[in-house]
Amino acid sequence: MAASIQSLCAPSSFSTTKSIDSKRFHGRKVGLLEVRSDNRTKCGSMPVRCKTGNLVTHAVASPAAASTASSKTGHEVLLFEALREGLDEEMERDSRVCVMGEDVGHYGGSYKVTKGLAPKYGDLRVVDTPIAENSFTGMGIGAAMTGLRPVIEGMNMGFLLLAFNQISNNCGMLHYTSGGQFTIPVVIRGPGGVGRQLGAEHSQRLESYFQSIPGIQMVACSTPYNAKGLMKAAIRSENPVILFEHVLLYNLKERIPDEEYVLSLEEAEMVRPGEHVTILTYSRMRYHVMQAAKTLVNKGYDPESGMRTGGIGASLTAAINENFNDYLDAPIVCLSSQDVPTPYAGTLEEWTVVQPAQIVTAVEQLCR
Amino acid sequence: MSSAFAAPKIIQPLNFRSNEKPLFDSVKSSPTTSFLGSVQKLRFSSKIPLTSSLNCRSVSSNVFAVSEVVKERKSKSSVSPSNLLITKEEGLVLFEDMTLGRVFEDMCAQMYYRGKMFGFVHLYNGQEAVSTGFIKLLKQADSVVSTYRDHVHALSKGVPARAVMSELFGKATGCCRGQGGSMHMFSKEHNVLGGFAFIGEGIPVATGAAFTSKYKREVLKENCDDVTVAFFGDGTCNNGQFYECLNMAALWKLPIIFVVENNLWAIGMSHLRATSDPEIWKKGPAFGMPGVHVDGMDVLKVREVAKEAVDRARRGEGPTLVECETYRFRGHSLADPDELRDAGEKASYNSRDPITALKKYLTENNLASEADLKAIEKRIEEEIEEAVDYADQSPAPHRSQLLENVFADPKGFGIGPDGKYRCEDPKFTEGTAQV
């Protein structure tokens, strides 16, 4: 059973523009808050009237019906195990799926996402590459053009900067410049984002660089459930997909269904429906937002948070403004990380990233 | 400088004049100069000894230049077909392919100056022996990867001249629907994997195609002996991707042949001014694969070397690095004034025109008559004229084509404001739908 739980939520797209389902905004006064962890700070906010809500005791909505049905069955996994399950199932299902990357084989992956796959499938299906990101990414692209379905792992998303030539020029473009003759069904994945004092170069957020490449799809996962579903969807997709994982989320635990399921790459997940404020976010920020939501709810707000399992970018704000200007009660507020290479010191690092308290303040300001 | 050089003079690094005579006096390319005009016979032992780079030099006493072999054969006996390197049929195929390449490129120049094609156009005149020498040995399932100087590689591999010409004119009937252009020739049918604008970019892609071939054989257990030939220039040999791929190809014994078209110039940068050790073939053994240097102006020599390299790859013995010494008769592109290259150098390579040389070989060895060859030339000229007419009359791409091939699965454009997938809007690919 392939379940897609996104029926209620904010659909979004990746390539150059984003969009929000207009149905949600009909007849309601809403403020819009964007929480991102890329390096761009955005505009401020203006006061807006909003309804004071009733006190809600549960800040986080339970996921939609499909997965509650299986909350008693299913099995508990950590996020990296969920990714591995997705990868394993796809490799089993289609013998053209292979993995390439540094230390993915014998070492099992630096975050254990590929642990056990090399003994199971062999060294040629789980390829330990030399340290040559640009070339092995290009190799993956050439293999994809000639019939395979590689999953290319960047040990850290930041390393993919070295592969940018291949990702931008070949991955994104070859389907177009070849007039549609060649498809590039690769998945490029890896952990990124700010970890625990990993230093500036290991804490990069590359989403903003990649999002302007036409021809690739970007997805970010944030829970074990969506990690597995998105991994499977990405592998099955004929498009090149970049799957962003977050270094701090690998050990999240969740119960996921035993049955097979694949998520949609183009839809977002509604985490918590609400009335007053819409908060859009992705990846690790989801948890900060949820925490903030708890606080806000207790203060009388009813925030709706949509996890966008899609790409991000400055154009999100632009797209919302363009399409839904009438529906907006206030200009969009965007919270994002500071424009700074992530410092090493723990205290400084904390201030680089958006924290729940900031989200709460922003929402309160928006709703004033 | 390496002691393998016979010529004693060393280039002064600060000397900006690029037409100094020292290292290669191209006018007298005697077989004793180890750089020019010499051919190292491939060492096809299954294990490459660790000292192979040393062996290449010490083994030079066993090495014989193919040109000398041909001379020997010719002088030894009167001409009998069994002594020749090719049969009549093969000879005519080679002649026709090189003529096709030459006439096509000349026509491109004409069309460019008449305003029928635009942008960057890089012509292959003079290098035809390399393309023909290698590609005519391949089967359809084998892959070819090239650079921006890719028209003739596509033609040799079998892409119809009219499809290439249309592509250059930017018409919808082009091999890439007009979306690629001169530097992005692709053909799924003929396994031409591009056409790349940045140098070095295609080498990893070629490595990937070779990887697929090995994967098909060893994982999918299919009967696959497809090889990949990657063409690139001397400038690319200073680029990281080249070395990274030499490493991976040798490591995994991928069925790939790396063909360096060393035409001594990267736009205006002389190979000697850019490279610490200009003998590119030597870099093969450093990675554990044979490195061969061959006279790229002689299609028969190229073909001999190519045969062994391709057979080696097909047998699963791994990659080969072949350096073809060749020359482009025109500038780097049609926009290049080509002022830096010495007239003497150009003249000497012009006198080694591969098509003239093959013609001479065929007629002197009675493999073909002048009339046969003239007939082929005429046929090719007509084919190219027809290709131009076809391209002229073809329609330009329609607006609806604009966004059509951005995603293989157009759902990738996402969901629009109305809640439906954008690609479901029939006007979406025009780029005019509300986004």
Side-chain angles (χ1 to χ4, degrees):
Chain A
M1 147 196 112
S4 173
I5 66 167
Q6 277 78 354
S7 45
L8 292 178
C9 63
S12 62
S13 72
F14 319 81
S15 49
T16 48
T17 53
K18 324 287 179 245
S19 74
I20 305 296
D21 183 356
S22 58
K23 294 198 282 274
R24 288 186 21 222
F25 296 94
H26 279 178
R28 282 203 248 151
K29 297 213 185 303
V30 282
L32 207 60
L33 184 68
E34 233 184 81
V35 180
R36 300 206 303 262
S37 60
D38 70 344
N39 268 351
R40 249 163 315 152
T41 48
K42 274 283 151 114
C43 45
S45 64
M46 250 169 54
V48 66
R49 272 186 304 123
C50 71
K51 284 191 257 191
T52 49
N54 307 319
L55 210 62
V56 176
T57 45
H58 297 290
V60 178
S62 47
S67 68
T68 44
S70 53
S71 61
K72 290 293 170 239
T73 59
H75 53 288
E76 257 194 352
V77 286
L78 301 175
L79 196 144
F80 72 87
E81 291 169 343
L83 287 167
R84 191 198 318 147
E85 266 185 35
L87 193 44
D88 195 353
E89 283 174 20
E90 291 304 300
M91 286 181 81
E92 186 103 50
R93 177 179 175 268
D94 185 345
S95 52
R96 296 169 303 164
V97 179
C98 52
V99 183
M100 297 177 186
E102 293 159 16
D103 274 329
V104 294
H106 294 191
Y107 194 73
S110 47
Y111 292 95
K112 302 211 205 51
V113 174
T114 50
K115 188 160 190 225
L117 295 181
K120 182 171 177 189
Y121 293 108
D123 278 346
L124 209 47
R125 283 194 75 185
V126 185
V127 182
D128 275 324
T129 60
I131 307 176
E133 278 79 8
N134 202 15
S135 293
F136 70 70
T137 304
M139 191 172 94
I141 292 169
M145 285 167 78
T146 43
L148 301 186
R149 304 187 77 92
V151 176
I152 302 169
E153 173 172 312
M155 195 186 265
N156 183 289
M157 273 314 212
F159 299 176
L160 292 184
L161 285 174
L162 291 149
F164 209 82
N165 180 5
Q166 292 292 337
I167 295 174
S168 171
N169 279 341
N170 289 347
C171 197
M173 282 194 206
L174 282 187
H175 185 69
Y176 192 81
T177 49
S178 67
Q181 293 180 81
F182 289 99
T183 55
I184 327 268
V186 295
V187 177
I188 299 177
R189 49 159 291 269
V194 175
R196 292 259 176 268
Q197 300 188 247
L198 300 179
E201 291 179 32
H202 280 85
S203 312
Q204 297 189 68
R205 285 132 290 179
L206 300 188
E207 301 87 72
S208 39
Y209 303 166
F210 288 130
Q211 62 102 17
S212 44
I213 303 174
I216 57 168
Q217 274 192 264
M218 302 202 309
V219 273
C221 60
S222 55
T223 64
Y225 181 80
N226 62 33
K228 180 174 173 184
L230 290 175
M231 170 72 93
K232 289 168 73 82
I235 295 176
R236 291 190 196 187
S237 170
E238 293 300 315
N239 298 332
V241 178
I242 303 190
L243 173 58
F244 290 89
E245 302 153 12
H246 197 286
V247 138
L248 291 181
L249 299 183
Y250 276 134
N251 287 322
L252 283 183
K253 201 186 277 202
E254 192 185 356
R255 189 166 277 272
I256 62 172
D258 288 329
E259 313 83 23
E260 199 187 10
Y261 67 94
V262 177
L263 297 179
S264 161
L265 290 174
E266 291 85 28
E267 295 183 41
E269 176 193 332
M270 172 73 79
V271 178
R272 180 193 187 282
E275 291 265 320
H276 296 151
V277 150
T278 300
I279 308 179
L280 305 170
T281 184
Y282 69 97
S283 192
R284 179 183 162 218
M285 288 295 110
R286 171 202 184 108
Y287 298 96
H288 285 206
V289 168
M290 274 159 57
Q291 241 182 303
K294 249 193 258 189
T295 321
L296 286 169
V297 153
N298 288 326
K299 290 194 179 188
Y301 297 98
D302 187 14
E304 172 180 70
S305 48
M307 162 67 75
R308 282 186 35 256
T309 52
I312 47 81
S315 47
L316 175 65
T317 307
I320 300 173
N321 271 323
E322 269 170 40
N323 289 307
F324 300 108
N325 217 319
D326 295 340
Y327 299 113
L328 290 177
D329 277 331
I332 301 170
V333 172
C334 181
L335 297 177
S336 59
S337 310
Q338 300 293 329
D339 283 331
V340 67
T342 314
Y344 167 73
T347 41
L348 286 178
E349 186 184 67
E350 215 182 271
W351 292 324
T352 328
V353 180
V354 177
Q355 299 295 338
Q358 288 170 275
I359 303 173
V360 172
T361 320
V363 170
E364 289 181 326
Q365 273 195 309
L366 199 55
C367 283
R368 198 152 294 142
Chain B
M1 284 290 179
S2 149
S3 59
F5 278 114
K9 252 202 195 164
I10 308 239
I11 302 261
Q12 304 306 321
L14 292 178
N15 191 335
F16 291 106
R17 293 277 303 165
S18 51
N19 57 354
E20 55 248 313
K21 295 289 188 175
L23 269 185
F24 57 101
D25 194 342
S26 44
V27 178
K28 21 186 222 291
S29 59
S30 66
T32 54
T33 354
S34 54
F35 188 67
L36 277 198
S38 65
V39 173
Q40 308 274 347
K41 181 138 171 73
L42 291 178
R43 302 190 70 234
F44 288 127
S45 52
S46 52
K47 286 193 219 146
I48 311 285
L50 285 171
T51 51
S52 59
S53 51
L54 294 174
N55 281 349
C56 278
R57 268 183 296 177
S58 64
V59 118
S60 55
S61 51
N62 300 340
V63 164
F64 46 93
V66 170
S67 58
E68 282 170 339
V69 171
V70 173
K71 276 191 222 150
E72 263 179 49
R73 285 180 178 165
K74 272 180 67 176
S75 58
K76 249 191 238 164
S77 57
S78 59
V79 171
S80 61
S82 55
N83 283 350
L84 296 174
L85 292 170
I86 46 170
T87 63
K88 173 177 181 170
E89 291 72 33
E90 288 170 345
L92 293 180
V93 165
L94 298 179
F95 181 78
E96 179 166 345
D97 193 54
M98 289 204 287
T99 308
L100 175 66
R102 180 68 61 87
V103 176
F104 186 94
E105 296 291 69
D106 282 339
M107 184 59 82
C108 279
Q110 259 196 62
M111 292 296 114
Y112 189 83
Y113 294 126
R114 282 202 215 160
K116 297 283 182 72
M117 58 178 86
F118 304 95
F120 292 130
V121 179
H122 308 84
L123 299 182
Y124 201 72
N125 297 50
Q127 300 182 197
E128 295 87 359
V130 180
S131 176
T132 300
F134 272 93
I135 301 182
K136 282 304 162 194
L137 291 171
L138 300 180
K139 38 187 213 306
Q140 185 153 351
D142 295 324
S143 302
V144 162
V145 176
S146 177
T147 59
Y148 43 72
R149 207 177 295 281
D150 56 353
H151 306 169
V152 178
H153 294 132
L155 292 171
S156 288
K157 194 67 173 52
V159 183
R162 43 167 39 191
V164 182
M165 192 61 85
S166 275
E167 183 63 31
L168 292 169
F169 281 29
K171 299 293 176 84
T173 49
C175 54
C176 300
R177 308 178 81 196
Q179 289 165 192
S182 167
M183 299 187 280
H184 302 283
M185 292 292 166
F186 288 85
S187 167
K188 178 117 184 147
E189 187 189 339
H190 299 279
N191 287 300
V192 177
L193 302 183
F196 293 93
F198 289 18
I199 60 159
E201 229 177 18
I203 308 178
V205 173
T207 310
F211 180 83
T212 302
S213 175
K214 184 181 168 87
Y215 190 96
K216 280 187 182 161
R217 192 170 23 204
E218 295 183 17
V219 175
L220 303 179
K221 309 287 187 219
E222 291 171 13
N223 220 1
C224 182
D225 65 351
D226 299 340
V227 305
T228 307
V229 183
F231 293 95
F232 47 92
D234 44 286
T236 309
C237 295
N238 292 325
N239 187 276
Q241 287 170 103
F242 171 60
Y243 297 105
E244 290 175 357
C245 291
L246 283 183
N247 180 39
M248 293 196 289
L251 184 62
W252 297 319
K253 283 208 161 57
L254 300 181
I256 182 172
I257 301 111
F258 296 101
V259 180
V260 183
E261 294 171 319
N262 184 354
N263 57 21
L264 303 172
W265 291 89
I267 309 187
M269 188 63 163
S270 145
H271 176 56
L272 301 171
R273 289 183 66 221
T275 317
S276 55
D277 187 348
E279 295 188 290
I280 301 171
W281 60 269
K282 277 161 58 176
K283 302 181 185 186
F287 286 91
M289 70 178 83
V292 191
H293 178 272
V294 68
D295 176 3
M297 304 306 279
D298 184 332
V299 68
L300 300 178
K301 288 185 202 164
V302 173
R303 195 177 147 88
E304 286 296 294
V305 167
K307 244 189 237 173
E308 294 196 60
V310 170
D311 286 343
R312 209 179 105 80
R314 280 205 213 286
R315 288 193 300 265
E317 288 169 19
T320 312
L321 175 64
V322 181
E323 179 186 357
C324 303
E325 177 211 333
T326 182
Y327 203 75
R328 50 169 165 83
F329 292 161
R330 289 180 179 267
H332 162 75
S333 72
L334 288 174
D336 174 19
D338 195 16
E339 286 161 352
L340 283 178
R341 302 192 300 173
D342 174 49
E345 179 187 274
K346 290 191 214 179
S348 94
Y349 278 100
N350 261 294
S351 69
R352 291 163 64 184
D353 186 327
I355 300 180
T356 321
L358 182 65
K359 218 182 203 175
K360 190 155 175 273
Y361 185 86
L362 293 173
T363 46
E364 279 181 4
N365 290 299
N366 292 326
L367 287 173
S369 66
E370 288 274 357
D372 292 336
L373 301 179
K374 276 248 167 327
I376 292 180
E377 282 168 357
K378 184 161 186 304
R379 195 171 65 235
I380 294 293
E381 272 159 33
E382 283 167 6
E383 187 180 331
I384 302 299
E385 295 275 346
E386 192 270 335
V388 171
D389 286 335
Y390 176 80
D392 256 334
Q393 286 159 21
S394 292
H398 192 262
R399 183 158 190 181
S400 58
Q401 204 181 301
L402 183 63
L403 295 180
E404 248 169 45
N405 299 123
V406 177
F407 283 109
D409 176 4
K411 296 217 287 280
F413 282 112
I415 296 175
D418 57 358
K420 295 205 293 226
Y421 276 104
R422 287 218 175 85
C423 55
E424 288 169 19
D425 177 347
K427 291 180 78 100
F428 175 66
T429 56
E430 284 182 20
T432 52
Q434 275 303 104
V435 288

